[in-house]
Amino acid sequence: MTGPGTTGPEKTGPVLSVRGLVKRFGDVTAVDGVGFDLLPGASLGLVGESGSGKTTTARIVAGLERATAGTVELAGAPAGGRSRRDRLRRARHLQMIFQDPYGSFDPRRTVAQSIAEPIALHAPGPAAARHARVRELLDQVGLSARAGDSLPRDLSGGQRQRAAIARALGVAPRVLILDEAVAALDVSVQAQILTLLDALRRDTGIAYLFVGHDLAVVRHITDEVLVMRRGRVVERGGTERVLREPRHPYTRLLLDSVPVPGWDLERVARDRRALDGLPDDPDVPDSPSPDGDPTC
Amino acid sequence: MTALAIEGLGLTVGAGAVPLLDGVGVRVGAGETVGLVGESGSGKSLTARSALGMLPRGARATGRVTVAGTDVLAAGRRELRELRRTRVSMVFQDPRAAVNPVRRVGDYLTEGLRARGVPARAATERALDLLAQVGLRDPRGALRRYPHEFSGGMLQRVVIAGALATEPALLLADEPTTALDVTTQAEVVGLLKELQKAHGTGMLFVTHDLDLAAAICDRVYVMYAGRIVEEAPGAALFGAPAHPYTRALLEASPSVRGERAAVKAVRGRPRSLAEAPGGCAFRDRCPLAGDDCARAVPGTRRHGASLAACLRAGEEPR
Ligand SMILES: Nc1ncnc2c1ncn2[C@@H]1O[C@H](COP(=O)(O)OP(=O)(O)O)[C@@H](O)[C@H]1O
Ligand SMILES: Nc1ncnc2c1ncn2[C@@H]1O[C@H](COP(=O)(O)OP(=O)(O)O)[C@@H](O)[C@H]1O
Ligand SMILES: [Mg+2]
Ligand SMILES: [Mg+2]
């Protein structure tokens, strides 16, 4: 899938390329050899239970954390740099949204002011043009001008998440990392944000790295998925394939743990025993094989 | 015997009588699992806590709450304490909030039994037995450990062991698995169901997760803005929702199985009773709403296997 923001020499290759990522905190290995490619306009899911290393992976990719080993390439150039120039370049191409967007807003400034800030930084220009752009962004995410003039604390959770998306979109990034970005929302509001994310990807060709523990949500929003366990990728492939015919026992356990009418809890227990009997987690190659669907 | 009967429960707070609950009716039979579902602020926790006589400060209650024969709203302090100690237990979302962090798990589990006059030795034996029942591998070691030495899922098992120590008639489980990973949720739910069956305990299972409620509950109540809007058997709720709100919730939820269907967003956001419009509280978000929905709070009517408080229950959106 390509879109308006995806022309230029390097645009046919992956917009994001991650290889051999390792992260240690003391003697905890949080991420242990994770690699993947994200194509322009694609949506890749990162699933697994808490502590499996999803957030650490996302934070390294976003430049918020330093890797112990491994490389990240963004729009064709290495993205690990620490200089101001490196950080600006990274922010122009890639933005990240968290479960609770509260922390990314200055509580004393209006939402519109916060949305304007990255635009002023990356595309300085007349204030009038910037205001117009902010109005456009608010509109794009379904927020009223009045909501824009509010302080973050006066918005509902869903409105705040819309504002965070508007702020991230201001610099027209090519990659959006969403870390449990809809997990705290009520289901009726979550559906609004999912619908918004669908439309944005369709209209702008932005790519998503979607971190989440809810398999149903991940199924809705991604085309491919990596299943992580204890810092490693244990299965990867097209999201539909992985959910319909999981190959790794851990993926099977995750799936069978999702409640459905006639839920078979015995089966969950069996899955767990099968997993406990496994010698070690098999490694999965870094990049997808040509059919995009390697076995593990 | 009925474990819990809430009839026409209304709650208001403050001098302005801000309404929180209106006409809530919930019944849990002995050994039955009953779900209470709805989005945040719909009044699930207020309803569940009313069964323990725990009302917000300055709240006025109308209606009737009966637990295992005790009239809770009329009960005095001592009677309530006795009720909480012997007849009703509660498990919350966050097990760390339920246990004292500086006391050993053994003390946590035996204090309720000791208070009921069980000798120390027998209480310890009982605690060991309970820890084994909830699947802890080393019950004796666990007795000496502190809460921070357990993972969230393991500590929730300890709390469940404590909740069942007194063989209560009623277990109130308020989002007991919401903070847990899915695989741990499955284990904890399996455990709750198993223990409940073994002891004939009635369980009110409060959750925002409709799929979870439908999967494990005999009957489910759906709440919106401080009122019950639908009551149905778990399976029926999923297959043939009668109230437009229930249907909207189902259509808004993506699913892992079956055909990949579009999620349907619901306009607006969930409301509390105080914020909701008059008449049917859902009417400003409802695709079926008409002028008549503003006139009065719709009464309950039967539709299929459901009881739904809607003038257009079961109708298709135009
Ligand atoms: N700043 C940190 N210091 C020490 N350990 C950390 C830090 N961040 C994460 N970890 C550890 O790394 C592992 C992976 O964590 P995380 O990436 O947050 O997982 P997930 O997002 O999948 O829940 C966990 O064991 C966690 O405790
Ligand atoms: N102690 C209280 N005083 C005033 N309002 C309260 C109090 N407790 C809860 N509420 C309000 O009552 C409504 C229902 O709350 P609650 O039962 O906790 O909802 P739920 O558990 O369904 O998310 C909410 O709007 C909440 O703000
Ligand atoms: Mg995380
Ligand atoms: Mg609650």
Side-chain angles (χ1 to χ4, degrees):
Chain A
M1 194 170 100
T2 51
T6 59
T7 50
E10 91 281 346
K11 307 295 158 69
T12 45
V15 63
L16 179 66
S17 212
V18 175
R19 290 290 176 272
L21 222 53
V22 174
K23 177 68 185 182
R24 288 194 196 94
F25 295 106
D27 42 9
V28 174
T29 304
V31 177
D32 194 2
V34 169
F36 56 85
D37 283 341
L38 182 64
L39 293 174
S43 178
L44 175 70
L46 218 52
V47 304
E49 291 183 288
S50 56
S52 58
K54 306 181 298 294
T55 293
T56 305
T57 302
R59 286 175 55 86
I60 293 170
V61 171
L64 299 172
E65 196 95 65
R66 252 187 146 126
T68 307
T71 58
V72 177
E73 257 187 33
L74 185 60
R82 297 269 125 191
S83 71
R84 182 180 150 81
R85 222 177 117 244
D86 289 333
R87 275 184 286 128
L88 277 177
R89 177 177 180 277
R90 196 160 47 224
R92 203 170 65 241
H93 288 303
L94 180 149
Q95 292 277 318
M96 182 157 171
I97 293 181
F98 305 89
Q99 173 167 339
D100 180 9
Y102 213 82
S104 50
F105 284 98
D106 183 337
R108 292 154 307 182
R109 308 179 69 190
T110 68
V111 164
Q113 283 169 339
S114 286
I115 294 173
E117 185 194 51
I119 304 172
L121 187 66
H122 290 275
R130 198 158 60 237
H131 291 152
R133 177 79 180 124
V134 169
R135 268 197 306 279
E136 197 179 284
L137 287 163
L138 285 169
D139 193 54
Q140 195 174 7
V141 300
L143 284 177
S144 64
R146 204 175 123 229
D149 292 333
S150 309
L151 293 174
R153 66 158 181 270
D154 294 326
L155 297 186
S156 69
Q159 285 178 311
R160 265 204 299 274
Q161 207 52 293
R162 287 177 194 272
I165 294 170
R167 189 180 138 107
L169 291 179
V171 298
R174 303 190 47 204
V175 178
L176 194 57
I177 301 183
L178 299 130
D179 189 356
E180 301 282 7
V182 300
L185 302 176
D186 276 307
V187 53
S188 68
V189 177
Q190 173 180 286
Q192 296 168 1
I193 302 295
L194 290 178
T195 311
L196 170 64
L197 290 171
D198 290 343
L200 287 175
R201 185 154 78 103
R202 196 178 52 233
D203 298 345
T204 68
I206 195 170
Y208 297 149
L209 178 61
F210 190 94
V211 175
H213 69 280
D214 185 330
L215 292 180
V217 169
V218 168
R219 180 187 186 199
H220 177 87
I221 204 87
T222 70
D223 324 313
E224 290 193 23
V225 68
L226 306 187
V227 182
M228 288 187 70
R229 179 171 189 243
R230 298 177 184 161
R232 295 189 185 193
V233 176
V234 296
E235 180 159 2
R236 71 172 78 218
T239 307
E240 281 303 296
R241 197 284 293 156
V242 170
L243 296 184
R244 277 169 195 272
E245 308 151 34
R247 290 172 189 166
H248 193 280
Y250 180 65
T251 315
R252 223 165 289 142
L253 172 64
L254 282 182
L255 259 173
D256 288 337
S257 297
V258 177
V260 282
W263 199 14
D264 188 351
L265 288 164
E266 244 323 292
R267 186 165 160 163
V268 179
R270 267 204 311 278
D271 289 342
R272 169 146 333 253
R273 284 195 296 274
L275 193 60
D276 288 343
L278 220 65
D280 212 348
D281 293 330
D283 286 305
V284 182
D286 255 10
S287 49
S289 63
D291 72 337
D293 209 1
T295 46
C296 65
Chain B
M1 188 159 82
T2 303
L4 169 68
I6 298 176
E7 296 154 279
L9 178 65
L11 269 187
T12 59
V13 278
V18 177
L20 299 179
L21 297 179
D22 179 33
V24 170
V26 170
R27 213 186 60 79
V28 180
E32 198 184 17
T33 305
V34 173
L36 189 58
V37 306
E39 294 179 286
S40 56
S42 57
K44 305 181 296 296
S45 293
L46 286 174
T47 301
R49 295 166 77 98
S50 76
L52 287 167
M54 291 165 70
L55 306 180
R57 190 178 290 276
R60 286 168 164 287
T62 52
R64 223 179 142 79
V65 178
T66 317
V67 173
T70 302
D71 181 346
V72 174
L73 296 182
R77 264 222 173 102
R78 275 183 68 165
E79 220 175 331
L80 281 181
R81 202 164 48 217
E82 193 55 26
L83 185 78
R84 290 172 198 165
R85 199 150 71 197
T86 60
R87 313 295 296 149
V88 192
S89 291
M90 190 141 184
V91 178
F92 298 94
Q93 175 170 336
D94 181 9
R96 299 205 189 272
V99 301
N100 186 336
V102 299
R103 301 195 59 204
R104 293 171 199 272
V105 158
D107 297 331
Y108 170 75
L109 287 177
T110 51
E111 65 195 359
L113 294 164
R114 296 300 310 281
R116 291 172 75 200
V118 177
R121 212 196 175 115
T124 302
E125 285 308 311
R126 177 95 180 102
L128 282 172
D129 181 41
L130 286 162
L131 287 173
Q133 275 187 54
V134 298
L136 263 71
R137 289 213 180 105
D138 172 21
R140 204 162 284 280
L143 284 183
R144 286 191 303 271
R145 282 155 71 191
Y146 288 93
H148 73 263
E149 299 175 62
F150 293 84
S151 69
M154 280 300 154
L155 196 60
Q156 192 65 302
R157 288 165 190 265
V158 171
V159 171
I160 290 170
L164 294 167
T166 55
E167 309 224 332
L170 176 67
L171 180 64
L172 302 165
D174 191 349
E175 307 265 7
T177 58
T178 301
L180 307 176
D181 271 315
V182 279
T183 64
T184 314
Q185 164 168 285
E187 287 180 358
V188 169
V189 164
L191 178 68
L192 279 172
K193 292 288 285 180
E194 192 182 302
L195 295 173
Q196 176 205 18
K197 203 190 255 167
H199 299 285
T201 311
M203 174 157 72
L204 183 66
F205 193 93
V206 175
T207 177
H208 67 282
D209 185 339
L210 200 56
D211 291 353
L212 179 59
I216 66 166
C217 295
D218 303 314
R219 272 184 311 119
V220 176
Y221 294 91
V222 181
M223 279 193 97
Y224 186 79
R227 299 189 183 103
I228 303 288
V229 296
E230 180 163 0
E231 174 193 346
L237 189 72
F238 210 80
H243 197 284
Y245 175 62
T246 314
R247 180 194 289 239
L249 278 185
L250 287 169
E251 290 179 346
S253 322
S255 89
V256 274
R257 292 198 181 73
E259 284 308 304
R260 183 165 158 168
V263 301
K264 235 166 105 184
V266 190
R267 63 173 179 254
R269 64 180 172 85
R271 298 181 183 286
S272 64
L273 179 55
E275 301 170 310
C280 172
F282 187 58
R283 69 186 165 85
D284 61 337
R285 307 179 70 196
C286 181
L288 297 178
D291 293 342
D292 45 346
C293 301
R295 252 170 248 144
V297 178
T300 299
R301 50 168 85 184
R302 181 153 288 284
H303 185 272
S306 292
L307 285 170
C310 174
L311 300 177
R312 300 194 168 72
E315 277 181 32
E316 295 292 327
R318 282 139 301 180

